[in-house]
Amino acid sequence: MNWNKLLSARRYQPGLSTSLFQSHDRSQFQRDYDRLIFSSPFRRLQNKTQVFPLPGNIFVHNRLTHSLEVASVGRSLGNKLRQFLMQKGVQIDNPELLEEIGTIVSTGCLAHDLGNPPFGHSGEEAISYFFSEGEGRYLKKLLSDEEWNDLSHFEGNANTFRLLTHNFNGRRPGGYTMTYTTLATIVKYPFESSKANPKGFKYGFFQSEKDIYRLVAEELGIRQISKQPLQYARHPLVYLVEAADDICYQIMDIEDSHKLRILSYEETEHIFESFYDKNEERDALKTFARTFKTVTDKNERIAFLRAGIINKLTIACADIFCRNYEAIMEGEFTGSLIKHLEGTDKTAYEACTHLAYERIYHTNIVTQIQIAGFKILGTILKEYTDAILKPETYYARNLLSVMPEQYKVSPEDSIYTKIQTVVDYVSGMTDSYALNLYRKIKGIDLPEIR
């Protein structure tokens, strides 16, 4: 793979063509970034759970704040790669495109969670469960094996790609008409669901967007690994988007847990300080000691430590990319950048992961929202799936009448398309919207005239 093709300012916009710069002062990649910032799906992230339920008196991360922080780290990683490529003497036909790498990675980071449903990662599990083990199991006989895999193993990453490229009812062709390069940077698992690892079952695009991703990959010269099932190597910038996410969610979840008093100050300080080798990084530890003499607020102390760790891991991941540059460009590098950490960074990061799964992700407050999410999403999926497949009943007509226009289907649409439209609707909901709709469907709450 080579940067001449990997960096393309052309847009996925059927029937139209674009150039690198328009008559204004924004590049196409900067326009991608701005387009996401002002989009409705991005705004809805402020009302979607990251890990903990949406905050009351204590503010913890939601999907929106998480995405903004990931974008900040991603920009730094992209800029470090740009510097490396320039030092390496990489030359392309449009050298100004190299200057945009930080923006491209940052944009991919902004978009990386757009396709995730409400109620955190359990939302993905709830949608999958409805089809694989819940009341949607009967639909399997109506679908192909590939279509069933998409639904019974719902994947937020694939849904992000769909959200940005699908021509929803009443919307313009090409979805958000992003540049090919931006679209490629969000696909962490560039293969279809039949190729997914049964243990993790991650994949990058649904059957409905399979041909679109093939078009993106051909445009950018991404190495194809297999035709059946369809599989490609990653676009190199995907590794940076993934690393930014890995760095942020792991470290920020620990800080949030301290704010919520799930972890004590002493525990949090200890796990953060473990990222520094006491023999080799004495200067950094001395800086913390001097700062803590004047900063007595414990939340601020933890924030100070967290900032240093994020910077440390950003430098480490950029270095790993550069050291494995040739393998990445050949499409032969395996695993994430974060998995290739070494020494103190590796030991401390793995300790954070263990702590998160043992003490954070299974606390009562997290488990309770997961249980609620399963019930709420399962109920909505059942009601709307039944209605969209049998729309002639009085109840179904009423239920479908309150569905937004962009999710309307026609009688000629396939069963897969109709069901997928319901999943589009449900996955796009915020936590509060899903809860309110559930209450109305169950007759627990009635609408008010305002």
Side-chain angles (χ1 to χ4, degrees):
M1 296 183 285
N2 69 83
W3 294 108
N4 248 330
K5 295 204 70 175
L6 289 169
L7 299 178
S8 172
R10 288 188 62 215
R11 294 188 173 278
Y12 173 65
Q13 193 170 11
L16 296 174
S17 60
T18 53
S19 59
L20 174 60
F21 289 95
Q22 300 290 346
S23 58
H24 42 68
D25 58 357
R26 290 183 301 156
S27 71
Q28 295 293 349
F29 303 117
Q30 291 164 350
R31 293 178 69 201
D32 280 352
Y33 184 96
D34 296 345
R35 192 166 293 184
L36 287 178
I37 285 286
F38 285 93
S39 70
S40 295
F42 186 74
R43 286 196 299 274
R44 285 198 293 269
L45 293 177
Q46 69 182 309
N47 194 235
K48 287 190 175 185
T49 295
Q50 174 68 15
V51 173
F52 302 106
L54 296 178
N57 295 328
I58 301 176
F59 192 86
V60 293
H61 285 80
N62 54 41
R63 290 282 185 191
L64 181 69
T65 50
H66 167 70
S67 296
L68 289 169
E69 289 171 351
V70 174
S72 177
V73 174
R75 184 183 61 240
S76 297
L77 285 166
N79 287 338
K80 289 182 181 299
L81 173 59
R82 172 182 57 80
Q83 293 168 3
F84 169 77
L85 294 177
M86 290 182 169
Q87 291 170 0
K88 192 175 177 64
V90 171
Q91 296 183 351
I92 61 176
D93 295 340
N94 295 301
E96 61 268 38
L97 292 175
L98 290 175
E99 297 289 340
E100 296 287 335
I101 289 178
T103 298
I104 296 168
V105 176
S106 186
T107 304
C109 293
L110 277 187
H112 84 283
D113 270 352
L114 284 183
N116 282 30
F119 306 113
H121 289 290
S122 66
E124 291 177 284
E125 296 292 338
I127 294 174
S128 298
Y129 179 86
F130 171 77
F131 293 105
S132 63
E133 301 175 60
E135 295 189 69
R137 283 177 295 176
Y138 76 95
L139 297 165
K140 182 176 182 179
K141 62 180 180 292
L142 305 176
L143 302 164
S144 70
D145 290 343
E146 293 80 7
E147 292 168 344
W148 180 247
N149 275 337
D150 287 354
L151 295 170
S152 61
H153 296 89
F154 176 82
E155 173 54 48
N157 291 282
N159 200 43
T160 296
F161 188 73
R162 174 174 171 80
L163 181 65
L164 293 177
T165 59
H166 181 63
N167 182 19
F168 288 94
N169 186 49
R171 304 298 178 90
R172 62 180 172 178
Y176 281 84
T177 64
M178 310 298 281
T179 61
Y180 284 101
T181 297
T182 293
L183 288 174
T185 62
I186 66 171
V187 183
K188 291 169 63 176
Y189 314 102
F191 43 81
E192 56 188 305
S193 57
S194 57
K195 180 62 180 177
N197 185 329
K199 292 182 179 180
F201 223 100
K202 298 289 188 180
Y203 58 94
F205 43 84
F206 300 125
Q207 291 301 304
S208 48
E209 284 71 52
K210 182 176 176 178
D211 288 338
I212 298 176
Y213 187 78
R214 184 186 284 112
L215 181 65
V216 170
E218 290 174 354
E219 166 72 20
L220 301 178
I222 298 175
R223 177 191 165 203
Q224 187 177 71
I225 296 174
S226 168
K227 290 185 178 180
Q228 189 63 36
L230 190 63
Q231 180 181 7
Y232 289 88
R234 282 177 162 186
H235 188 291
L237 298 185
V238 171
Y239 289 100
L240 302 185
V241 173
E242 180 182 50
D245 185 29
D246 288 340
I247 291 169
C248 287
Y249 86 80
Q250 194 72 273
I251 303 305
M252 300 310 301
D253 288 350
I254 299 251
E255 183 179 9
D256 281 347
S257 298
H258 170 254
K259 289 182 179 179
L260 293 171
R261 299 183 181 179
I262 295 171
L263 299 177
S264 69
Y265 170 77
E266 289 73 23
E267 287 176 300
T268 310
E269 181 183 43
H270 173 73
I271 195 72
F272 279 178
E273 285 187 345
S274 69
F275 277 88
Y276 295 90
D277 188 304
K278 292 182 179 180
N279 295 319
E280 298 181 5
E281 298 177 282
R282 293 178 181 176
D283 289 344
L285 293 172
K286 287 180 180 178
T287 299
F288 295 142
R290 286 197 301 270
T291 301
F292 286 178
K293 288 181 179 179
T294 56
V295 176
T296 56
D297 184 278
K298 290 184 177 180
N299 285 334
E300 188 65 18
R301 284 183 169 187
I302 295 302
F304 185 74
L305 286 170
R306 175 260 301 154
I309 293 166
I310 288 178
N311 181 62
K312 194 172 189 290
L313 292 178
T314 298
I315 294 170
C317 285
D319 183 59
I320 292 167
F321 186 103
C322 296
R323 284 190 280 112
N324 293 277
Y325 177 74
E326 299 301 332
I328 289 171
M329 296 303 289
E330 291 293 331
E332 296 176 352
F333 184 77
T334 57
S336 63
L337 298 179
I338 209 79
K339 291 294 185 184
H340 288 75
L341 289 173
E342 299 174 346
T344 305
D345 289 337
K346 177 182 176 65
T347 303
Y349 189 87
E350 289 177 348
C352 282
T353 301
H354 178 76
L355 180 66
Y357 281 95
E358 289 292 319
R359 297 281 304 281
I360 299 173
Y361 300 148
H362 296 104
T363 57
N364 284 339
I365 193 171
V366 174
T367 302
Q368 287 168 11
I369 196 169
Q370 291 174 347
I371 294 171
F374 263 69
K375 188 68 174 179
I376 292 167
L377 297 187
T379 299
I380 297 172
L381 282 167
K382 181 185 186 309
E383 297 293 332
Y384 274 92
T385 300
D386 290 348
I388 211 163
L389 294 181
K390 296 181 179 179
E392 64 277 2
T393 68
Y394 176 78
Y395 178 71
R397 289 198 302 272
N398 279 296
L399 198 61
L400 295 174
S401 69
V402 299
M403 205 172 186
E405 183 67 26
Q406 71 187 85
Y407 303 117
K408 301 297 183 182
V409 299
S410 66
E412 296 77 27
D413 287 332
S414 68
I415 292 175
Y416 173 65
T417 297
K418 290 177 180 178
I419 298 172
Q420 200 174 28
T421 299
V422 173
V423 176
D424 289 335
Y425 180 39
V426 172
S427 63
M429 293 177 180
T430 63
D431 291 19
S432 59
Y433 183 97
L435 175 59
N436 291 336
L437 182 60
Y438 168 79
R439 286 172 171 166
K440 290 180 174 66
I441 288 174
K442 299 294 287 185
I444 299 171
D445 195 12
L446 293 174
E448 297 179 356
I449 298 175
R450 298 181 183 278

